[in-house]
């Protein structure tokens, strides 16, 4: 049985703790990286996206665009300062691969993946591609593993049924975050 809106605890109370974990993890993992501000900006928008998806099963296009813009605007000056413009090409390739992979998944018969998820995956492909192909691959795989575990737990606890719509954006964001930490 799904939790009704009246029974659901407020997600707003968890935001400061989740934000501290997300930002702290990025600061520890990427502390000496000039791209850290870009990762932090994407993470800040990501928190708002996760809340939106959890609340209404939607990833608002303006927020997804803000995440992509934060990544692009944050990584371009780093590439210019480092003299590594090829990393921008890797970031763009990461976005393209993420977009193409998620479009294919969304078009599969019976798929529950929305095009907000597709656009979010493309936006997160920029910073993941920046970090390299292994990080991108991990960032594309982890959301499915994380979501699978959560769904199995919810099914076992009888909190959801097989046809219950669940948000996938938080899993995409968490998978990308973990991939960056492990890079």
């Amino acid at each position: 049985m799904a939790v009704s809106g009246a029974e659901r605890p407020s997600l707003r109370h968890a935001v400061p703790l989740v934000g501290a974990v997300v930002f702290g993890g990025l600061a520890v993992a990427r502390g000496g990286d000039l791209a850290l501000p870009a990762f932090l900006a994407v993470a800040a928008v990501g928190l708002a996206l996760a809340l939106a998806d959890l609340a209404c099963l939607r990833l608002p296009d303006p927020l997804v665009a803000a995440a992509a813009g934060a990544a692009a605007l944050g990584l371009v000056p780093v590439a210019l300062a480092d003299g590594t413009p090829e990393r921008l090409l890797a970031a763009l390739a990461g976005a393209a691969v993420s977009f193409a992979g998620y479009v294919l998944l969304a078009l599969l018969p019976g798929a529950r993946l929305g095009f907000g998820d597709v656009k979010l995956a493309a936006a997160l492909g920029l910073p993941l591609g920046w970090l390299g192909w292994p990080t991108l691959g991990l960032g594309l795989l982890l959301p499915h593993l994380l979501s699978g575990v959560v769904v199995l737990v919810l099914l076992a606890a009888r909190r959801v049924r097989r046809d219950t719509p669940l948000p996938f954006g938080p899993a995409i964001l968490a998978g990308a975050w973990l991939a960056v930490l492990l890079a």
Side-chain angles (χ1 to χ4, degrees):
M1 177 154 152
V3 177
S4 73
E7 298 169 352
R8 183 179 301 151
S10 173
L11 297 172
R12 283 179 262 171
H13 297 340
V15 172
L17 176 61
V18 173
V21 170
V22 168
F23 298 139
L26 288 172
V28 169
R30 313 265 3 131
D33 190 343
L34 291 176
L36 177 61
F39 288 99
L40 293 172
V42 171
V45 177
L47 287 172
L49 281 162
L51 284 173
D53 205 11
L54 287 167
C56 62
L57 298 176
R58 296 277 184 260
L59 293 165
D61 284 343
L63 283 177
V64 174
L73 293 174
L75 296 175
V76 167
V78 175
L80 296 176
D82 279 353
T84 56
E86 66 278 0
R87 289 187 82 181
L88 291 175
L89 293 176
L92 289 173
V97 166
S98 297
F99 179 78
Y102 271 75
V103 164
L104 289 175
L105 289 174
L107 294 176
L108 288 174
R112 292 185 165 188
L113 199 65
F115 275 86
D117 298 318
V118 172
K119 292 178 267 188
L120 177 59
L124 296 177
L126 286 166
L128 292 173
W130 172 270
L131 294 174
W133 293 109
T135 304
L136 177 67
L138 193 58
L140 293 175
L141 174 66
L142 284 174
H144 301 282
L145 295 175
L146 294 170
S147 180
V149 169
V150 169
V151 168
L152 287 175
V153 168
L154 290 172
L155 284 169
R158 298 181 187 257
R159 301 295 291 187
V160 298
R161 297 186 332 227
R162 289 184 59 206
D163 61 348
T164 303
L166 296 170
F168 192 59
I172 296 171
L173 291 156
W177 176 73
L178 286 172
V180 169
L181 295 187
L182 297 171

